Amino acid sequence: MLLSALLTGLVLGGTYALIAMGLTLQYGVARIMNLAYGDFMIAAAFGAFVLFTSLGINPLLGMIAVIPAGFALSYAIYGVMLQPLARRAKHSGRLEVDSILATFGLLFVIQGVALVIFGANFVSYSYLAIPINILGTTLAANRVLALVLALALGAGLYYALTHTRWGTAIRAVAVSPQAAPLVGIDVDRVSRFAFALGGALAASGGVVVSMYLTFSATAGVVFTMKALVVVIMGGVGNLLGALAAGLILGIVETLVATYIDTGLTLAATYLIFLAILVFRPSGLFGRRPS
Amino acid sequence: MLEVTNLSLHYAQHLALEKVHLSLNQGETVVVLGANGAGKSSMLNVLAGRIAPDKGTEVSFLGSRLVGRKPHEFPEMGIALVPEGRGIFGDLTVAENLSLGAYVKHARAGEAERLGMVYELFPRLAERRSQIARTMSGGEQQMIAIGRALMSQPKLLMLDEPSLGLAPVLVLELFNALEKIKRTGVSLLLVEQNVKVSLNIADRGYLLEGGRVVGVNTAEALKQDPAVQQAFLGLPGAKSILPANDF
């Protein structure tokens, strides 16, 4: 039972890690606190759902369409809605408040559209719901696939950000937006790109989630909150931190649900969150401000 | 190569720079001397595009107008700034900082060669290439900042008080490195409070006081100039112009 709980926890944690990486890119680099993040995910989940149920396209292939769409849409949203805020903001605190308000509105727009098209019911589809045996425990193949996808995407992104010059430039903007222009980095452009990349990750997270969870038009908020908790646990802008914190959170939630009470998972999440805020405000792996 | 005319700058009501004229020829090293608050840093920040000057200011570099350009365009044009406080990427490694120096397109070719040159100039950086920049000493961080600027293959390198906060021994080491950089043909524009060492490597100097240029001369002449002596060298009360100890 423990092993099965751990594996289920890893699957959930992998998804958390994936979506938290996207949010940490948007928040850590573009300095946009995106409250519509989870709704963006759900929109992608619906995208995968429609592709699968009405066109028979499996979610893996669906990703090829949904992820670039997530990138393009985020890129457009940043340009139309958020860039003006970023340009007029004199300091990052101001941009934070403005972006929270703006994306709070966006949340209701995305949710409203989803409600109109799909209604308020929970939906799901059955893809690769074949039991497979891992180390003596049975797990649905779609969950294993979800974990593999989350880890592969996360690792790919991490590699790109640490081993390419444009990846290093993105991290440079996260570390010091004031210093970035000194080496010729256009902070505006990099921010927009990072926001769009975060949107692409949200979209991939949405597709992954749709493979093994039921979801509804109003389920986005939960994912925004979870991603936010993971980002703060891992330290804002810290990708490895997001990865580790996501896995930890997934495992803790599943253990609590298995051994204590399903109703307490959210409570456990916020207990961890609170403990981190009180004792390590810059995150598990974050540096204390000097 | 650099021609500054009528450079004025206001911060709200406060006048930071007033009608400054300055020119710098290819390969020349020019130092701008002045006390705290004379407007030295403001001037470099305008020249690097980080602050917009007042209307009427004209700055041209190799024939192109600079005023109104965005700060990230300056490195592309061959102007590199090592700002006060160094402006390095503290959470990245030494090697990553240097590699970002070659972010501008024209610096990509010959990057490996230039990296070798920087490591030769500052062997400390070669030893510590995978160390996180912020964990290094003030002098080493200054080396990173200068090395990173050199990686962009600048035609003009501007340095804002590079000796600030360094121990005297390190200051000498730093200026030795600047001397070597100068010999590679890079033009240098240096803002300093440390008059003695900076006049030693400079060809010409400007005296800045209260946002105005109050004197221009060759470095040799400035060394002998009683006004400079009075203002900066060894008068009582002039203690504050000496470099502070390394903290």
Side-chain angles (χ1 to χ4, degrees), chain A:
Chain A
M1 186 154 131
L2 176 65
L3 188 65
S4 141
L6 280 178
L7 283 174
T8 314
L10 267 184
V11 171
L12 195 62
T15 310
Y16 287 165
L18 181 64
I19 61 174
M21 280 181 166
L23 190 69
T24 210
L25 270 181
Q26 293 192 338
Y27 187 42
V29 179
R31 322 265 151 182
I32 300 291
M33 182 66 259
N34 185 2
L35 289 188
Y37 189 78
D39 299 272
F40 215 81
M41 264 182 77
I42 293 300
F46 274 116
F49 171 77
V50 169
L51 287 177
F52 185 74
T53 51
S54 54
L55 299 172
I57 298 171
N58 81 49
L60 277 183
L61 282 176
M63 275 187 159
I64 297 171
V66 174
I67 293 178
F71 184 93
L73 204 60
S74 300
Y75 192 81
I77 287 172
Y78 188 87
V80 172
M81 206 174 110
L82 301 168
Q83 201 152 41
L85 303 182
R87 283 200 176 135
R88 75 169 194 214
K90 291 211 162 57
H91 51 87
S92 61
R94 178 69 196 273
L95 178 58
E96 223 161 278
V97 173
D98 285 354
S99 67
I100 284 173
L101 293 174
T103 56
F104 192 49
L106 186 64
L107 178 167
F108 291 108
V109 174
I110 299 177
Q111 207 178 80
V113 172
L115 278 171
V116 168
I117 303 176
F118 300 101
N121 294 329
F122 277 87
V123 299
S124 64
Y125 59 90
S126 177
Y127 169 68
L128 275 186
I130 323 156
I132 51 171
N133 201 317
I134 300 173
L135 302 167
T137 54
T138 320
L139 221 59
N142 54 26
R143 290 188 173 239
V144 179
L145 181 64
L147 177 62
V148 170
L149 274 179
L151 292 180
L153 286 167
L157 178 73
Y158 182 75
Y159 183 85
L161 286 178
T162 48
H163 286 79
T164 65
R165 201 193 308 268
W166 67 262
T168 312
I170 287 179
R171 287 188 298 134
V173 173
V175 169
S176 175
Q178 301 81 20
L182 288 171
V183 297
I185 296 173
D186 183 347
V187 175
D188 252 13
R189 240 182 74 196
V190 169
S191 296
R192 189 171 184 179
F193 183 79
F195 186 84
L197 200 58
L201 280 171
S204 59
V207 176
V208 165
V209 159
S210 75
M211 288 176 10
Y212 71 97
L213 286 183
T214 54
F215 55 94
S216 74
T218 52
V221 179
V222 178
F223 289 106
T224 307
M225 289 313 294
K226 292 278 170 69
L228 186 59
V229 168
V230 172
V231 164
I232 300 203
M233 269 174 77
V236 172
N238 187 337
L239 285 167
L240 277 188
L243 185 66
L247 291 175
I248 291 172
L249 190 69
I251 289 172
V252 168
E253 280 191 354
T254 316
L255 287 180
V256 168
T258 313
Y259 290 102
I260 306 175
D261 192 302
T262 322
L264 284 179
T265 50
L266 215 55
T269 302
Y270 289 105
L271 192 66
I272 299 177
F273 187 43
L274 193 66
I276 299 248
L277 279 184
V278 172
F279 297 109
R280 288 205 61 102
S282 48
L284 285 176
F285 312 96
R287 171 169 61 99
R288 281 157 203 275
S290 46

Side-chain angles (χ1 to χ4, degrees), chain B residues 99-143:
Chain B
S99 130
L100 282 171
Y103 181 82
V104 289
K105 284 193 195 75
H106 69 83
R108 307 265 168 102
E111 181 189 350
E113 228 169 83
R114 238 167 303 120
L115 187 63
M117 194 196 87
V118 168
Y119 281 152
E120 202 175 298
L121 193 61
F122 303 116
R124 291 288 283 175
L125 298 186
E127 289 163 24
R128 312 210 156 189
R129 58 186 84 187
S130 50
Q131 193 171 332
I132 300 291
R134 74 180 137 77
T135 63
M136 299 178 69
S137 75
E140 288 163 343
Q141 292 190 18
Q142 191 64 260
M143 292 175 196

Side-chain angles (χ1 to χ4, degrees), chain B residues 98-221:
Chain B
L98 294 178
S99 130
L100 282 171
Y103 181 82
V104 289
K105 284 193 195 75
H106 69 83
R108 307 265 168 102
E111 181 189 350
E113 228 169 83
R114 238 167 303 120
L115 187 63
M117 194 196 87
V118 168
Y119 281 152
E120 202 175 298
L121 193 61
F122 303 116
R124 291 288 283 175
L125 298 186
E127 289 163 24
R128 312 210 156 189
R129 58 186 84 187
S130 50
Q131 193 171 332
I132 300 291
R134 74 180 137 77
T135 63
M136 299 178 69
S137 75
E140 288 163 343
Q141 292 190 18
Q142 191 64 260
M143 292 175 196
I144 298 174
I146 295 173
R148 191 185 67 182
L150 289 175
M151 289 302 291
S152 72
Q153 203 176 21
K155 298 183 183 105
L156 170 63
L157 175 60
M158 305 194 289
L159 299 113
D160 194 348
E161 303 222 29
S163 73
L164 195 71
L166 298 188
V169 182
L170 286 176
V171 173
L172 288 182
E173 221 176 278
L174 177 77
F175 275 83
N176 275 335
L178 291 180
E179 181 82 52
K180 283 182 198 157
I181 295 168
K182 177 185 172 176
R183 267 187 255 130
T184 65
V186 177
S187 311
L188 296 177
L189 180 58
L190 190 65
V191 145
E192 260 299 341
Q193 292 196 10
N194 194 326
V195 176
K196 266 188 186 162
V197 275
S198 51
L199 281 179
N200 276 339
I201 76 157
D203 302 309
R204 285 189 307 128
Y206 287 76
L207 299 183
L208 210 58
E209 206 179 290
R212 262 179 246 162
V213 173
V214 294
V216 192
N217 217 327
T218 62
E220 280 313 310

